[in-house]
Structure formats: C-alpha cells, structure tokens
Amino acid sequence: MAESRVYGARVFHDTYSGTPQGGVIGPLLANIALHGMEAAVGLKYISRGDNVGKRCLILYADDFVVFCESEEDARNARSELSVWLASRGLALSDEKTRISYLSDGFDFLGFNIRRYRAPENSVRLEIVHQALSEIGEVAESSDR
C-alpha cells in the first residue's frame, strides 16, 4: 500500500492504510502527481499538437518512456527527471530505469517497442504498383 496522510483542519493525520496497489484510484493519482512532466523534459508542441522537440514522452499512469536522439541526451533527461521528481517527493527506481537503444528494443506495458527496418522504398513501390495493376485487371474483367 502506498503511504498516505489525511489533511483536515490544517493538520496532517496519519492513516492506517493507503491506496492499494492496483486500485482504481491509482492511475488518477499518478496523473495528478506527474502532471507537468512533459515540460520538465523539455517537450514542445505546435498549435495542432505535434511534438517539435528532440524528445518524446509516453506516459501511462505511473509508467513512462522518454525517447531521445542520443545516449547523452537520455542521460540528461534522466537527470532532469530525477530533479523534477525529487521536488514532488518521488524518485526513479534504479531497478526499473534503464537506457537502451531502440534497435535493441524493450518491453513497455505488454508491447515490445523497437525500430524495425522497413524494406527499401523501391521494393515497397514495386509491390504497390503490382497490387494496383492486379486490381485494375480484376476491375477490367468484371466490366466485361
């Protein structure tokens, strides 16, 4: 259980139980506690909502991933987040926090995140042209 206290009459009182792990209120409390994390890692958006910075943040309840362009920038982001979280009484878990290359991949919320190399554009275009010509042949034969 997470440690908690009750505030009333301008005094904090200890509670005998906190928020249960996996409870329905947990994700909401995490979103409240982590609000502002995007600004802390320096994310910038344009008016239609597209990210224009060099970092990207994926946040789901208390789980998050920061995508960076280099290992050095990832280390800087980790330091910035550590300071930001400490100001809220939180800390990164050394066991769960790691820096990895996107080509190596990692698991996040049941998904394997990695960079998959796409085939050369010419190969993809050839497949598209072939499919379009086959569709055209089927359309012509059905018109007869």
Side-chain angles (χ1 to χ4, degrees), residues 91-110:
L92 292 172
S93 165
D94 289 333
E95 293 176 1
K96 296 179 181 179
T97 305
R98 65 187 181 101
I99 295 173
S100 68
Y101 290 97
L102 200 51
S103 57
D104 295 337
F106 59 93
D107 292 331
F108 180 65
L109 300 175

Side-chain angles (χ1 to χ4, degrees), residues 1 6 14 59-61 63 72 99 106 111 115:
M1 298 234 180
V6 175
D14 289 331
L59 175 64
Y60 183 82
D63 296 315
E72 180 183 355
I99 295 173
F106 59 93
F111 293 93
R115 173 182 287 147

